[in-house]
Amino acid sequence: MKRDVLKEDDYDEVCRVIGDAVIMLAECGHETKRDEIFDVLKRTRQHRAHGDRDEQKMLEHAIRLIKP
């Protein structure tokens, strides 16, 4: 997925979601490689499957953007 596919506000939110995942991984002493970030985003999406639709959409965009 390329940046131009998302509106600027959505892209900023997707970057925030990815950044939050990186911070969480680093704080737990895990690697912050692309596959690790991808996995944590997928797990988060699964755990929040019944959450807010906008949140799900941002997680899906983040997963596509970071996909190895």
Side-chain angles (χ1 to χ4, degrees):
M1 168 181 284
K2 296 185 180 180
R3 177 184 178 151
D4 58 342
V5 173
L6 296 172
K7 294 183 291 184
E8 186 173 343
D9 290 345
D10 288 346
Y11 182 78
D12 291 345
E13 180 64 15
V14 166
C15 289
R16 188 196 63 76
V17 168
I18 293 169
D20 287 350
V22 170
I23 290 168
M24 190 261 327
L25 285 168
E27 286 178 344
C28 292
H30 296 282
E31 294 284 330
T32 56
K33 295 180 181 175
R34 184 176 280 239
D35 341 354
E36 298 291 332
I37 301 166
F38 179 76
D39 290 342
V40 79
L41 290 172
K42 282 179 44 177
R43 284 193 307 271
T44 301
R45 184 185 63 191
Q46 290 170 348
H47 285 104
R48 298 180 181 178
H50 301 293
D52 179 38
R53 180 65 195 138
D54 287 338
E55 179 182 353
Q56 287 292 314
K57 186 173 90 172
M58 290 303 117
L59 281 167
E60 290 167 12
H61 285 310
I63 290 167
R64 283 196 297 270
L65 187 65
I66 200 74
K67 187 175 183 177

